[in-house]
Amino acid sequence: MKRKIFLLTCLLFSAIMAAAQQQKLITLEDITSGQYYAERIWGVVPMKDGETYTQLSDDRRHIIRRSFKTGEQVGILFDVSTARGPVALSGIDDYVMSPDESRILLQTETSYIYRRSFTAQYYIYSVADGTFTKLSEGGAQQVPLFSPDGTKIAFARGNNMFVVNLADGKETQVTQDGKFNHVLNGTPDWVNEEEFSTNCSFCFSADSKMLCWVRYDESKVPVYSMQMYKGLRPEIGDNDEYPGTYDYKYPVAGARNSDVSVLSYNIESGTTRNMQVPLDDEGYIPCIRMTSDKDKIAVVTLNRHQDRMDIYMVNPHSAEATLVLRETDSKYLRESAYTALTFYPDCFVMTSGRSGYDQLYLYNLNGTLQRRLSAGDYDVTDFYGYDPKTGNTYYQAVDEVPMRRAVFVCDKKGSARKLSREKGTNSATFSEGFRYHMNVFSSVSVPYVTTLRDNKGKTLKTLVDNNALREKTDRVCGQKSFFSFTTSEGVELNGWMILPRDFNAEKKYPVIMYQYGGPGSQEALDSWRMGLVGGGLFESYMAEQGYIFACVDGRGTGARGAEFEKCTYLNLGVLEARDQVEAAIYLGTLPYVDKERIGIWGWSFGGFNTLMSMSEGRPVFKAGVAVAAPTNWKYYDTVYTERYMRTPKENSGYAENPISRANKLQGNLLIVHGTADDNVHYRNCTEYTESLVQAGKQFDMQIYTNRNHFLTGGRTRLHLYYRISEFFMKNL
């Protein structure tokens, strides 16, 4: 009998332990430690042979060449242990291939400036003999670029342009007037870098004889000064006794922009010329591109309202500019019009929303439309390439519903077919010649699956399946689903929801709504990147605490055509907040939702949207968290703000903002900001909280010393996650 009792006790204990293991809760430490990060293949560089690609090894010590057909290693282009040079390298941060792939620029000692800009020490590596030499002895470089013939390298340093002749190693300083906070040559100023998504503003001519670049004169742009403290992780020792400052040029809405111009430099004669590019007063040059014609450099200009884009073909020798294409919009042009602009021999491809949806169009270099390259009434969301030999065009687009993406090929007759079959989000990297591609698929329930495929879409090999992560997250993630509803104004909105694993439809749950809502953005996407950190992990952590998490994309978000996206023009925040309130009201009608306990939170534009929603007038939110939130658009930069709002002098819509609505705030609020946010300045937080004080509104506040817009460094992110979760636990 005792033995039977003992055995039963052991079995019961084992069952309890197994159940406990099965029900193991995810922790915030788990989320920030990286143990739930999905495996990805980064830095794929297709090779000229059309059969292989290169990538940097995980330990950063090798550049490996792999087959596009099998994924197997077929060679090593660089090995840090055998490479011979003037210094001993422990590894590299990145690399740049020369046009003929005989040389590689090795990137080391990378130091970031802003989101995209950085300096680094580069070395020129010879694939043939395994030796490397320093690109320049004059200090760290920015954005080095090989000439088309591979005989020269241009780069920026200290806001000036330089050219190195690889035959003899001679370095020539092209410009002399570069100066911090005054003049930048070849690299954009803060606002052009941030809002035009670029860190490089120069190119060679097709014959490699001319260097052309954009010059930014920011001497008249107002200075923004950020106070910097000693802090920790990293510690700024010089600020121990007194705080220091970081002063840089930042034009707020309506303020003076940089004066921009285009110059060319004849590498043989040393002659510099100003290009005669027509430009509106305080207009923009978002990009400059080389074409296949040595006498044509493509220069793209925008007027300040960003509702007119001109493409000029500029002769770098004569300085003459010819307008070949003008694109206009009644409201504004999306960034894809110039960021996706791609040049081929004697032609170029441009994205346009003229049909009501973003589609691809082919032009010759004289600006004559040849044909539309994509098909259907849906948005093209990424452009992968055009094959002049076959006339085929490869791209990513909305797949049946706005929440999904597929990879398409469209032939020269306008017939499109899908190369991806999985329902969720697919993206691709194509080989030279488009014979193969690497497809990355994910959904809200499937972490990233990376496969190699042929140009018919047939899977040749699976490189990464993340099955172990999927099994692991299946045990800790909540129940995920999509939903849609129609607002009282007749607008259909899409969203996702995460329920606790032990969800009981007979209970009443509090709800936390997460959103972003900025123009053209999308959070309700069938992708593993759902939620704050991807995979719905933070949301699942909160679900295990007894909350339902939901996210709704309101008006102004992307992948639903121009009319839906641009209806918020001149009145950012009004319709977006109205839709979040409508979403809360809808959720409150569900039988398992406690409508008296609904919260909302977001980051950046999502923080702005949180504040606008909590002060919309209908008190549906009991609590909210606003992280790094703009609180008045007149404090934000010219390019982004004026694209959607024009200038404060032109638009009374600026008056509708969280500060002016402070007296209407309903619910408990936590506002979070970093003191060194170079994007959404800490000023937004101070001015808003002062308006709350004077309106007699109580609130909670969390400030992070010396942290920028991303709030990272040391234990900052973990602290933030605890702060947000504990605030909702206390107030919901």
Side-chain angles (χ1 to χ4, degrees):
M1 178 65 72
K2 289 183 178 180
R3 179 174 176 78
K4 288 182 178 179
I5 293 174
F6 175 74
L7 289 173
L8 287 172
T9 302
C10 290
L11 289 171
L12 178 61
F13 178 76
S14 298
I16 291 172
M17 292 300 294
Q21 182 66 27
Q22 183 69 22
Q23 294 298 317
K24 179 182 181 295
L25 301 181
I26 190 172
T27 68
L28 295 177
E29 285 82 0
D30 292 337
I31 294 172
T32 56
S33 70
Q35 64 173 283
Y36 285 96
Y37 290 172
E39 183 182 351
R40 300 289 301 273
I41 295 177
W42 300 105
V44 172
V45 180
M47 299 292 280
K48 298 290 186 184
D49 62 4
E51 295 290 329
T52 60
Y53 63 90
T54 62
Q55 63 178 143
L56 187 61
S57 62
D58 292 339
D59 62 6
R60 303 185 299 110
R61 295 175 60 85
H62 306 88
I63 299 175
I64 302 171
R65 191 169 193 162
R66 297 185 183 277
S67 165
F68 247 119
K69 185 176 182 179
T70 67
E72 298 298 322
Q73 179 176 317
V74 296
I76 296 178
L77 296 186
F78 168 78
D79 185 337
V80 72
S81 63
T82 59
R84 306 184 309 279
V87 297
L89 299 177
S90 60
I92 63 175
D93 300 327
D94 206 348
Y95 62 97
V96 180
M97 303 290 298
S98 68
D100 65 358
E101 301 173 342
S102 66
R103 293 186 174 101
I104 305 175
L105 274 173
L106 308 175
Q107 178 184 321
T108 69
E109 300 178 46
T110 304
S111 177
Y112 275 86
I113 304 170
Y114 299 120
R115 188 192 299 258
R116 297 174 180 85
S117 56
F118 59 87
T119 63
Q121 290 285 355
Y122 287 90
Y123 296 90
I124 308 168
Y125 175 75
S126 170
V127 176
D129 61 21
T131 62
F132 63 92
T133 58
K134 212 168 187 178
L135 172 60
S136 173
E137 297 289 347
Q141 306 93 47
Q142 286 181 252
V143 287
L145 177 69
F146 280 99
S147 61
D149 65 5
T151 64
K152 308 171 189 69
I153 297 175
F155 64 85
R157 179 173 56 223
N159 299 327
N160 282 311
M161 292 298 304
F162 296 79
V163 174
V164 173
N165 188 320
L166 297 181
D168 56 15
K170 181 182 178 182
E171 179 180 308
T172 302
Q173 183 167 342
V174 177
T175 65
Q176 306 288 335
D177 59 344
K179 183 180 179 183
F180 179 69
N181 277 351
H182 285 80
V183 172
L184 300 91
N185 289 287
T187 55
D189 60 12
W190 186 94
V191 72
N192 280 269
E193 173 187 330
E194 174 69 19
E195 306 302 357
F196 293 139
S197 304
T198 183
N199 63 359
C200 181
S201 302
F202 64 90
C203 67
F204 283 94
S205 59
D207 61 4
S208 302
K209 294 182 178 180
M210 305 291 290
L211 178 66
C212 301
W213 70 95
V214 180
R215 179 182 184 271
Y216 304 84
D217 182 348
E218 61 176 359
S219 57
K220 297 177 183 177
V221 177
V223 172
Y224 188 84
S225 182
M226 290 191 299
Q227 195 161 39
M228 303 295 293
Y229 306 92
K230 185 185 81 168
L232 294 171
R233 305 287 298 271
E235 179 178 315
I236 307 175
D238 291 344
N239 296 348
D240 188 17
E241 188 172 358
Y242 287 95
T245 62
Y246 180 74
D247 306 315
Y248 70 114
K249 297 301 184 84
Y250 183 106
V252 297
R256 181 67 181 258
N257 277 314
S258 289
D259 293 319
V260 290
S261 55
V262 181
L263 292 85
S264 72
Y265 175 76
N266 188 308
I267 297 172
E268 293 180 358
S269 68
T271 304
T272 300
R273 304 193 66 169
N274 282 294
M275 302 293 96
Q276 299 168 8
V277 179
L279 191 68
D280 286 10
D281 183 39
E282 296 190 75
Y284 303 108
I285 301 177
C287 67
I288 180 171
R289 297 280 192 273
M290 183 187 79
T291 76
S292 58
D293 188 331
K294 65 181 178 60
D295 296 323
K296 292 179 178 178
I297 298 294
V299 177
V300 179
T301 69
L302 286 172
N303 63 336
R304 183 152 180 166
H305 284 164
Q306 299 173 68
D307 56 8
R308 189 190 77 237
M309 180 183 81
D310 292 333
I311 300 178
Y312 290 94
M313 291 298 169
V314 184
N315 187 316
H317 302 278
S318 68
E320 294 180 354
T322 302
L323 176 65
V324 298
L325 180 63
R326 170 164 289 181
E327 180 83 353
T328 61
D329 192 280
S330 61
K331 293 178 179 176
Y332 59 86
L333 292 163
R334 299 189 78 244
E335 307 95 294
S336 55
Y338 39 86
T339 56
L341 189 66
T342 308
F343 286 83
Y344 296 91
D346 303 319
C347 62
F348 64 91
V349 176
M350 189 186 83
T351 303
S352 172
R354 66 188 65 158
S355 70
Y357 297 91
D358 270 11
Q359 293 285 306
L360 300 168
Y361 298 85
L362 178 69
Y363 291 85
N364 64 24
L365 292 184
N366 294 323
T368 301
L369 177 64
Q370 305 299 291
R371 62 186 175 91
R372 178 167 151 172
L373 296 177
S374 51
D377 290 332
Y378 48 72
D379 281 318
V380 170
T381 48
D382 204 354
F383 171 54
Y384 298 130
Y386 168 71
D387 187 353
K389 294 180 180 178
T390 63
N392 289 341
T393 307
Y394 300 84
Y395 55 90
Q396 180 199 65
V398 169
D399 181 20
E400 297 178 0
V401 294
M403 290 84 78
R404 293 175 181 159
R405 301 286 186 273
V407 177
F408 290 84
V409 58
C410 188
D411 64 25
K412 59 184 177 182
K413 295 181 180 179
S415 177
R417 61 183 174 85
K418 281 192 284 189
L419 295 179
S420 56
R421 300 176 181 85
E422 301 83 353
K423 291 189 179 297
T425 297
N426 294 270
S427 61
T429 301
F430 282 84
S431 65
E432 288 284 332
F434 304 99
R435 185 175 181 183
Y436 307 103
H437 65 280
M438 182 182 292
N439 188 89
V440 180
F441 161 75
S442 76
S443 70
V444 295
S445 57
V446 180
Y448 303 103
V449 177
T450 304
T451 55
L452 294 175
R453 305 183 179 190
D454 64 17
N455 59 8
K456 304 296 183 183
K458 178 184 176 181
T459 299
L460 304 174
K461 185 170 184 179
T462 298
L463 300 180
V464 174
D465 59 23
N466 276 304
N467 280 338
L469 176 63
R470 183 176 183 179
E471 293 175 3
K472 189 176 180 180
T473 54
D474 281 348
R475 293 193 293 267
V476 298
C477 283
Q479 303 176 40
K480 305 170 184 176
S481 62
F482 285 95
F483 66 94
S484 62
F485 70 98
T486 302
T487 71
S488 63
E489 296 177 285
V491 181
E492 184 178 358
L493 301 179
N494 300 315
W496 53 253
M497 187 182 297
I498 297 180
L499 304 175
R501 285 181 296 161
D502 60 354
F503 173 73
N504 182 351
E506 301 300 318
K507 290 178 60 177
K508 291 278 190 179
Y509 292 87
V511 172
I512 302 172
M513 292 170 52
Y514 170 71
Q515 44 66 50
Y516 181 75
S521 66
Q522 191 178 15
E523 293 295 330
L525 187 66
D526 194 3
S527 165
W528 188 251
R529 75 166 179 83
M530 75 178 303
L532 175 61
V533 296
L537 292 172
F538 176 76
E539 294 74 18
S540 293
Y541 166 80
M542 293 300 293
E544 290 306 307
Q545 316 306 315
Y547 297 86
I548 290 174
F549 236 95
C551 176
V552 171
D553 278 342
R555 281 171 287 185
T557 55
R560 295 184 60 176
E563 183 178 353
F564 187 86
E565 178 178 332
K566 297 181 180 181
C567 67
T568 62
Y569 185 56
L570 299 181
N571 290 285
L572 283 186
V574 176
L575 296 180
E576 299 94 322
R578 194 178 299 167
D579 286 348
Q580 293 304 311
V581 170
E582 291 277 341
I585 292 172
Y586 163 74
L587 292 169
T589 66
L590 300 178
Y592 46 83
V593 168
D594 183 349
K595 67 178 182 179
E596 303 300 325
R597 291 190 294 159
I598 297 179
I600 184 171
W601 91 277
W603 197 313
S604 196
F605 196 102
F608 163 76
N609 207 3
T610 295
L611 299 177
M612 291 292 283
S613 301
M614 294 179 71
S615 53
E616 188 260 1
R618 289 174 282 180
V620 298
F621 297 109
K622 187 178 180 183
V625 179
V627 180
T631 59
N632 189 328
W633 288 112
K634 73 177 185 179
Y635 299 152
Y636 200 57
D637 73 59
T638 50
V639 176
Y640 182 93
T641 308
E642 294 173 15
R643 180 186 299 150
Y644 311 114
M645 294 286 284
R646 296 203 171 187
T647 66
K649 288 183 178 180
E650 298 173 284
N651 180 14
S652 61
Y654 277 82
E656 280 293 324
N657 60 66
I659 292 175
S660 68
R661 288 184 171 190
N663 64 333
K664 296 167 64 178
L665 178 72
Q666 301 284 337
N668 299 298
L669 173 67
L670 169 62
I671 188 164
V672 180
H673 222 104
T675 64
D677 192 331
D678 62 289
N679 189 339
V680 179
H681 296 142
Y682 179 50
R683 167 194 190 184
N684 286 270
C685 177
T686 62
E687 298 292 355
Y688 178 64
T689 54
E690 170 65 5
S691 69
L692 292 179
V693 170
Q694 299 310 321
K697 300 288 185 178
Q698 296 296 322
F699 58 93
D700 285 88
M701 190 171 178
Q702 177 65 58
I703 303 304
Y704 290 104
T705 303
N706 290 353
R707 299 305 170 202
N708 64 16
H709 197 57
F710 302 103
L711 298 176
T712 57
R715 295 173 61 84
T716 305
R717 271 296 175 97
L718 179 60
H719 188 280
L720 173 63
Y721 295 167
Y722 267 115
R723 192 76 168 92
I724 294 172
S725 58
E726 289 173 355
F727 179 81
F728 279 125
M729 291 176 195
K730 175 184 176 182
N731 290 286
L732 290 185

